[in-house]
Amino acid sequence: MLRAAAFLLVSSAVLAGCGSNQSALKPHSRASGQIDRLWWIMLAGSGVVVAIVIMLLVVAVARRHARRDDANDGRAKLLILAGGVVAPILVLSALFALAVRTLPATSAPAAGRTALTVEVVGRQWFWDVRYPGNDVLTANEIHIPAGETVRLVARTADVIHSFWVPELNRKIDMIPGRRNAIALRADRPGVYRGQCAEFCGLQHAHMALLVYADPPARFRAWLSVQGKKARAPAGPAVRRGEQVFLDEGCSGCHAIRGTPADAHVGPDLTHLASRSTLAADTIPNTRGYLGGWILDPQHVKPGNRMPGFDLRGRELGYLLDYLQSLR
């Protein structure tokens, strides 16, 4: 029974890490590489300490059945001193020194030391993303130039959240009334998933984000497009969809730059169609999922603050035409 329980425990731990694209043990930056190295060394150091403790227990049990004399007592005391005091002090001191040495690689750069700063605001349950100085506001996706260090400043608009992209750096907390910062740098282009790592309510598990590390030229092109206002609707169906958006109350929560919609209760939708997911990486950004999200968002993400809309077929189609034109 004990052997079966141990097998199940180890198997569940191994399977829990299978297929993950959000692993701290798959480093893609200097900071995450340092964290990965520290983890493995601490695992080995912990193994040494555990082995010493088990050895001392075995020695203690053996001594109960052995003949006692002064020589054996002296050796036992020396073994206890070496294994129970000296070895743990040496191992733990070395691990502590290594942890301290790792801190600079994972710390945030000072303001003004990087060419780009990104501001992230955590909300229940999505992420506002701003690029100060570039008039860019998006949601649930962060774009950075690959190979360059970006200073990310995080804060919360409601409860405590945590920002964590395991493949790029450590976790930082987002506490009401305070700002926190971290460095983001990806060694190569790719997409890296992040997650709120502090329980923040019913949909905490569905509060994710994607970090796109783009080649520098592609990043600059993306930044230029995202800084523009929404294009004027082209065609009667899209114009009708814009009117549905304004008339049905969507503009009471969302902003679309270049239109009368300027609320910021929910995510900014100026370039909604350029995003790959909806509802903080909960569902893909396709026409079908977008329609389902509009009609019954509580089915997709129970507890979120968006109400459902009772739109008839043609009105919903016009609205979807308009939203999918926002690139």
Side-chain angles (χ1 to χ4, degrees), residues 20 22-27 32-33 35-37 39 164 166-167 169:
S20 172
Q22 192 175 294
S23 172
L25 302 183
K26 293 169 57 180
S32 59
I35 294 171
D36 174 68
R37 183 170 69 97
W39 188 89
W164 191 30
E167 293 175 292
N169 209 331

Side-chain angles (χ1 to χ4, degrees), residues 88-266:
I89 289 177
L90 293 177
V91 171
L92 295 177
S93 297
L95 293 178
F96 176 76
L98 183 61
V100 171
R101 185 181 176 185
T102 303
L103 291 178
T106 62
S107 298
R113 295 290 298 273
T114 59
L116 181 66
T117 296
V118 179
E119 292 185 355
V120 175
V121 181
R123 302 178 184 270
Q124 292 176 307
W125 290 274
F126 68 95
W127 309 85
D128 272 334
V129 182
R130 294 180 172 88
Y131 290 75
N134 293 281
D135 196 28
V136 172
L137 175 60
T138 183
N140 304 316
E141 292 184 0
I142 300 173
H143 286 250
I144 62 174
E148 299 181 20
T149 300
V150 174
R151 185 172 188 265
L152 185 139
V153 179
R155 63 181 178 87
T156 175
D158 37 56
V159 301
I160 297 176
H161 299 284
S162 284
F163 178 92
W164 191 30
V165 184
E167 293 175 292
L168 299 183
N169 209 331
R170 62 184 174 89
K171 174 179 78 74
I172 58 172
D173 292 328
M174 306 161 75
I175 300 172
R178 300 180 66 91
R179 288 173 174 260
N180 208 346
I182 197 172
L184 279 190
R185 177 188 175 97
D187 293 334
R188 61 185 67 87
V191 182
Y192 307 98
R193 191 176 189 274
Q195 177 74 41
C196 177
E198 183 73 28
F199 181 73
C200 56
L202 180 63
Q203 289 299 319
H204 161 71
H206 289 151
M207 186 174 170
L209 59 94
L210 298 175
V211 176
Y212 288 82
D214 300 325
R218 184 185 300 172
F219 169 75
R220 290 192 293 270
W222 176 88
L223 197 65
S224 175
V225 170
Q226 294 291 314
K228 297 177 180 178
K229 297 179 180 179
R231 290 180 293 186
V238 178
R239 284 195 294 272
R240 176 59 183 155
E242 181 185 39
Q243 198 59 48
V244 172
F245 181 89
L246 297 173
D247 291 345
E248 291 294 331
C250 305
S251 57
C253 292
H254 297 282
I256 298 178
R257 282 168 283 148
T259 75
D262 60 356
H264 293 286
V265 177

Side-chain angles (χ1 to χ4, degrees), residues 257-310:
R257 282 168 283 148
T259 75
D262 60 356
H264 293 286
V265 177
D268 184 282
L269 303 182
T270 305
H271 298 284
L272 172 66
S274 68
R275 301 170 196 164
S276 59
T277 68
L278 300 168
D281 198 31
T282 303
I283 53 177
N285 188 5
T286 62
R287 187 179 181 91
Y289 277 104
L290 179 57
W293 173 253
I294 292 170
L295 295 177
D296 190 5
Q298 298 304 316
H299 176 75
V300 177
K301 200 168 183 176
N304 82 87
R305 299 182 182 181
M306 180 170 166
F309 290 87
D310 184 19

Side-chain angles (χ1 to χ4, degrees), residues 39-53 91-92 95:
W39 188 89
W40 285 109
I41 293 175
M42 291 189 74
L43 178 64
S46 301
V48 171
V49 173
V50 170
I52 292 173
V53 171
V91 171
L92 295 177
L95 293 178

